[in-house]
Amino acid sequence: MNDINSRQNSERSINLIKAFSATYAHIKRYEAARYFGSFMIATASIFMAAIQKTSPILVAIGVGWALTSSIALAQLARRWATEGATIQEHFDTYLYDMEWKSGRSKVEPERIHILSLRFRGSEERLRDWYPDVSELLTPFGILICQRSNVAWDIQLRRRWKAAVEFFLVAWCLAGIAVGIAQELTVLEMILRWFAPSSGLILLAWETVRTQQTIISERSELCSRISAELDWISPSIGRTAANRLKSACREIQDGIYATRAQTAAVPKFFYDHFRANDQEAMQTAAEDISGGTSSN
């Protein structure tokens, strides 16, 4: 039996969840600002295409915004992503009673407290962050929680990546269609449609590329977790338990690495699928555990 479920609803755990949730909220604000600015300029390009005019000023604004979005705002988001991933590492290592990664800096308690006060939302939704694994052996419970985290994230990111891919293809095809309908040269089509909306195109492409990278990395982690789960038994010995402990630490390092990347999924998208995904996570956890316990 383990203490994961009792720990995850403790005051310390809830404060840590509040802190990293507030941190990720900052990332989503930066991402929202990037999308909003890009959409506004892209909308202007639609208007210019409709009146069949090319605006050098709009081209300059579009290219300038693309650079600002891809360099300055993206860099700010990356800083928050690293801090958020580190705070979530505080949460997981406390939950799993796992040693801290040697050489990795911790976030100061004062900073965590300040961030937790910035949390806006229902505290009730922060409880039972991971599925119920209270009746399982400690390494088994940790692996189930790690798998739940990874599998949920993969599914959510696949949906978001598909949505952005669809938009990106539709936008580019629309630009080509406008160029053909107005009998534009390639240069005119670029200056009238693609250059002003370059910020939006680059952001969409960056989103698709980064999401695919994280999906691939997390899929490998999910396969590793499944391989470890395949041979666990209720009568696991000390040697095997120590090996599993080391494996869990390695898997956790992989989870941290993917969390530290700036590739947030919008809150509205997460909220839309949250109830179904949470139910699927719990069902999968029960199915995988197969009734195995520490008795």
Side-chain angles (χ1 to χ4, degrees), residues 147-199:
R147 187 191 179 283
S148 297
N149 176 280
V150 170
W152 184 331
D153 194 64
I154 290 172
Q155 187 68 13
L156 188 65
R157 291 182 186 279
R158 279 177 177 162
R159 296 189 192 110
W160 178 236
K161 172 178 167 285
V164 176
E165 277 179 329
F166 177 82
F167 171 81
L168 179 59
V169 171
W171 182 263
C172 292
L173 289 176
I176 294 172
V178 168
I180 294 173
Q182 297 181 3
E183 299 182 347
L184 302 177
T185 65
V186 173
L187 179 59
E188 287 174 330
M189 185 168 57
I190 291 173
L191 293 176
R192 191 170 295 179
W193 186 274
F194 290 98
S197 62
S198 58

Side-chain angles (χ1 to χ4, degrees), residues 136 140 143-145 147-148 151 222 225-226 228-230 232 280-292:
L136 302 177
F140 199 179
L143 287 168
I144 291 291
C145 290
R147 187 191 179 283
S148 297
C222 200
I225 294 169
S226 296
E228 298 293 350
L229 287 170
D230 282 345
I232 296 180
M281 179 183 71
Q282 183 62 51
T283 301
E286 293 171 356
D287 182 62
I288 293 170
S289 63
T292 302

